[in-house]
Amino acid sequence: MIIDFAEWISMKDWRSDKKGAALLASPAKSFASTVLDKLWKRVTRGGNLVDLDDEARHQLRITAKKLRYAAGMGKAETKRHKRFITAMEGLQDQLGSLNDLATAPDMLSKLALSGVPAAGDLVSAADKGTLLNATAEADDAFVDAKRFWR
């Protein structure tokens, strides 16, 4: 994301249009709040995580990762900031575990390990139910965490 940002700053013609001029004139805190709000809304509007398919949860995981990186920039280490980041980490960890579970069969197949006896332990349906419940709890905790930038 930082590389994309640096490229956008150096390569894009954002400074010469009206919107870019408005961005230059606005305070950085206002711009950051707007970006964080957009990412937060995309993460919280993900719907019921239990009902989402694996790909939708993966896309939500990517958006959550962007929000976490964006929220982690700067020196705003208040208690509210720490609680937000902790809740964000919990959600990301659970979404990552679900993604690992979803991608394990394909990975095992590509590595010709599908027939290994312990391979079945990596893709257990019971594990998915447990992970879905834990992810829903992490999502609730994240939604309940106050946005530190507001």
Side-chain angles (χ1 to χ4, degrees), residues 60-143:
L60 180 64
R61 177 177 173 251
I62 291 169
T63 303
K65 186 181 286 191
K66 289 177 183 179
L67 175 59
R68 181 175 167 199
Y69 289 154
M73 292 184 185
K75 303 248 185 220
E77 288 293 325
T78 63
K79 286 182 183 180
R80 216 163 124 182
H81 182 252
K82 288 177 185 176
R83 280 192 297 267
F84 182 87
I85 295 296
T86 298
M88 182 90 263
E89 288 171 351
L91 178 59
Q92 269 191 281
D93 288 347
Q94 295 303 324
L95 288 169
S97 294
L98 280 168
N99 189 61
D100 291 347
L101 189 65
T103 58
D106 189 43
M107 184 61 67
L108 290 170
S109 176
K110 285 180 181 176
L111 296 171
L113 296 172
S114 297
V116 174
D121 294 340
L122 295 174
V123 293
S124 164
D127 287 342
K128 186 170 186 175
T130 302
L131 282 173
L132 283 170
N133 290 333
T135 303
E137 289 176 18
D139 185 48
D140 289 343
F142 169 70
V143 170

